[in-house]
């Protein structure tokens, strides 16, 4: 957003907007949800048998329902920390959690990519009309 305000040339602003609205959401969601969140969740699920109580009958054993949420939180923290403006970190963390949840619920990267693109587009538009 700072870049787009520093470059008054139309072509520069268009290129920055394309990167912010299309390329960044695509790459970041593939990395943070597609790779990190999925990998973290897989590790948590791999250790589930070690966590579950072996004294209880199989029907009574609780599954680790916190696995997806723990993966969402960890990947959201990583997502947040990659952004330079620490003042935006609380909002970016909430966005990361929403993106992670949408990925878990849909099982597809299309939904978080779309949400991320809409978020970035709204931010770019708001910055440009100031």
């Amino acid at each position: 957003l700072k870049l787009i305000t520093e470059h008054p040339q139309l072509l520069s602003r268009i290129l920055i907007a394309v990167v912010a609205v299309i390329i960044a959401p695509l790459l970041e969601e593939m990395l943070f949800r597609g790779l990190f969140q999925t990998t973290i969740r897989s590790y948590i699920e791999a250790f589930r048998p070690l966590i579950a109580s072996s004294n209880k009958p199989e029907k009574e054993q609780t599954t680790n329902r916190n696995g997806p949420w723990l993966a969402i939180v960890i990947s959201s923290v990583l997502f947040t920390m990659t952004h330079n403006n620490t003042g935006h970190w609380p909002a970016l963390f909430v966005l990361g959690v929403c993106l992670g949840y949408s990925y878990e619920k849909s099982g597809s990267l299309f939904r978080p990519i779309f949400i991320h693109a809409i978020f970035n587009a709204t931010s770019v538009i708001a910055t440009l009309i100031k």
Side-chain angles (χ1 to χ4, degrees), residues 18 26-27 37 57 59 62 65 75-76 78-79 82 84 94 106 124 127:
V18 166
L26 183 65
L27 294 177
Q37 184 172 317
K59 283 185 178 180
T62 58
R65 285 181 240 133
S75 65
S76 297
L78 294 172
F79 170 77
T82 62
N84 292 333
V94 171
S106 68
V124 166
T127 300

Side-chain angles (χ1 to χ4, degrees), residues 33-111:
R33 262 45 77 184
L35 178 64
F36 293 160
Q37 184 172 317
T38 301
T39 302
I40 294 165
R41 188 185 65 238
S42 295
Y43 275 108
I44 292 169
E45 289 172 357
F47 289 107
R48 183 183 303 162
L50 300 175
I51 297 169
S53 172
S54 60
N55 297 335
K56 295 181 181 178
E58 193 171 315
K59 283 185 178 180
E60 292 180 21
Q61 285 187 7
T62 58
T63 59
N64 186 354
R65 285 181 240 133
N66 296 329
W69 280 108
L70 185 56
I72 290 169
V73 168
I74 293 170
S75 65
S76 297
V77 168
L78 294 172
F79 170 77
T80 300
M81 291 173 50
T82 62
H83 294 82
N84 292 333
N85 191 334
T86 56
H88 293 161
W89 279 10
L92 290 170
F93 176 74
V94 171
L95 174 65
V97 169
C98 292
L99 295 170
Y101 179 76
S102 71
Y103 174 60
E104 289 294 330
K105 290 300 279 186
S106 68
S108 168
L109 283 174
F110 291 118
R111 189 174 293 168

